[in-house]
């Protein structure tokens, strides 16, 4: 008998996914953050773990986007599941969750003025062991961001927002294994919308699909290197629309764009059936 993944969301507190459970395995990492309950739009990000809907940016302003700090509403249920909506100043985002044979599908619709540019990330912080491995497309272009500079064998180019190598070891920095805490924190963005996590016998597959939009998977490998004053371990595997963390850094092809129709649609698939990229 196949045991599906089960997802739980908290609409009152930013629409955050608070649980992603497969049998006895909870995939989402969480931390005690009581101050999260009192946040308002524009506040600094409060990291409670789980899976955050980061839109229209991840880094930058507003920090982790504009959706995590707002209450969402449920718009009713039908054959296609319940629509869950957040209304922000420049856009409205609706997601519809439905169960699949082995996991969850989330269909998204963002409505905004034509030409509106944005990033979106399913900012999933996972509870992973030191043996966990991340599989993505071998040789995929991979961007490293400035926090990786001390870990590279070459100088960081002056003023560069990122440098590019290939997965799984861009510019010699091996990123597909998480390992023990070593005091580092590295962010990377890998081209392509599909990845799979192996952790012992457990598998978690994540994929994003969107017609005509840039697709990637972001990695946040924080092994006790962030924040500087009170570091903790957090490991993010984040399907994205876009190719950068900060919308302000996005070139012409690095962000999603709303077409003349006024809406962008995409699908996130999360499951235990791992068709590993090669």
């Amino acid at each position: 008998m196949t045991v599906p993944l089960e997802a739980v969301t908290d609409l009152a507190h930013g629409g955050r996914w608070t649980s992603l459970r497969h049998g006895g395995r909870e995939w989402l990492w969480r931390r005690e953050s009581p101050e999260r309950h009192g946040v308002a739009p524009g506040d600094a990000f409060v990291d409670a773990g789980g899976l955050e809907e980061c839109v229209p940016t991840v880094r930058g302003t507003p920090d982790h986007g504009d959706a995590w700090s707002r209450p969402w509403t449920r718009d009713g249920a039908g054959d296609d599941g319940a629509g869950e909506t957040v209304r922000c100043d420049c856009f409205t985002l609706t997601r519809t969750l439905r169960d699949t044979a082995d996991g969850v599908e989330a269909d998204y619709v963002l409505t905004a003025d034509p030409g509106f540019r944005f990033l979106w990330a399913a900012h999933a912080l996972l509870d992973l062991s030191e043996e966990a491995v991340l599989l993505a497309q071998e040789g995929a272009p991979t961007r490293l961001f400035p926090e990786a500079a001390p870990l590279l064998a070459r100088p960081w180019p002056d003023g560069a927002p990122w440098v590019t190598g290939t997965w799984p070891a861009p510019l010699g920095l091996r990123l597909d294994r998480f390992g023990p805490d070593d005091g580092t924190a590295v962010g990377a963005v890998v081209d392509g919308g599909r990845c799979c996590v192996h952790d012992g016998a457990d598998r978690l597959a994540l994929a994003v699909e969107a017609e005509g939009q840039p697709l990637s998977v972001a990695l946040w490998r924080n092994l006790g290197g962030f924040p500087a004053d009170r570091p903790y371990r957090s490991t993010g595997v984040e399907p994205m629309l876009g190719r950068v963390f900060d919308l302000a850094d996005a070139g012409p092809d690095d962000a999603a764009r709303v077409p003349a129709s006024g809406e962008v649609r995409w699908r996130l698939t999360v499951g235990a059936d791992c068709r590993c990229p090669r």
Side-chain angles (χ1 to χ4, degrees):
M1 178 179 175
T2 300
V3 179
L5 280 163
E6 298 178 335
V8 177
T9 61
D10 182 356
L11 298 187
H13 302 102
R16 183 170 63 101
W17 303 41
T18 58
S19 178
L20 191 61
R21 182 171 291 276
H22 183 229
R25 168 72 186 253
E26 174 58 64
W27 279 101
L28 294 181
W29 170 86
R30 292 164 291 183
R31 66 193 291 262
E32 290 299 321
S33 302
E35 64 274 29
R36 177 64 182 266
H37 295 281
V39 299
D43 285 355
F45 181 63
V46 177
D47 187 4
L51 186 157
E52 304 280 5
E53 303 283 359
C54 292
V55 58
T57 191
V58 183
R59 298 180 183 176
T61 303
D63 186 15
H64 284 69
D66 202 22
W68 73 270
S69 59
R70 298 176 184 265
W72 293 47
T73 58
R74 181 168 282 115
D75 301 330
D79 293 340
D80 291 332
E84 301 171 342
T85 298
V86 61
R87 292 172 176 84
C88 300
D89 292 340
C90 296
F91 65 91
T92 297
L93 178 65
T94 297
R95 73 181 177 206
T96 302
L97 299 175
R98 67 177 61 84
D99 296 332
T100 65
D102 80 328
V104 179
E105 284 181 350
D107 285 334
Y108 293 83
V109 183
L110 183 142
T111 57
D113 291 340
F116 178 73
R117 300 177 78 229
F118 68 95
L119 307 173
W120 164 84
H123 186 280
L125 294 178
L126 303 181
D127 188 4
L128 302 178
S129 76
E130 296 179 0
E131 287 72 41
V133 177
L134 176 62
L135 298 179
Q137 184 66 48
E138 187 92 12
T142 302
R143 293 179 175 181
L144 295 173
F145 294 82
E147 65 271 12
L151 305 178
L152 301 181
R154 47 169 273 185
W156 191 268
D158 289 343
W162 64 77
V163 294
T164 303
T166 57
W167 184 263
L171 304 181
L173 179 58
R174 191 75 184 261
L175 292 179
D176 58 335
R177 299 181 181 273
F178 291 90
D181 290 359
D182 60 7
T184 65
V186 177
V189 176
V190 187
D191 270 13
R194 184 178 299 274
C195 67
C196 187
V197 177
H198 290 201
D199 195 1
D202 297 324
R203 304 287 184 266
L204 185 70
L206 303 102
V208 59
E209 305 168 76
E211 185 175 353
Q213 305 292 349
L215 306 178
S216 63
V217 176
L219 169 66
W220 173 241
R221 194 182 69 176
N222 174 24
L223 304 179
F226 177 88
D229 55 343
R230 298 181 64 185
Y232 52 83
R233 179 186 179 99
S234 59
T235 50
V237 178
E238 310 169 21
M240 291 185 70
L241 300 188
R243 298 191 180 97
V244 292
F245 286 112
D246 191 338
L247 183 60
D249 292 334
D253 300 321
D254 294 333
R257 184 184 297 272
V258 176
S261 65
E263 66 177 37
V264 176
R265 295 177 176 266
W266 67 94
R267 173 173 290 178
L268 171 68
T269 304
V270 185
D273 183 10
C274 187
R275 297 181 177 90
C276 301
R278 296 295 183 193

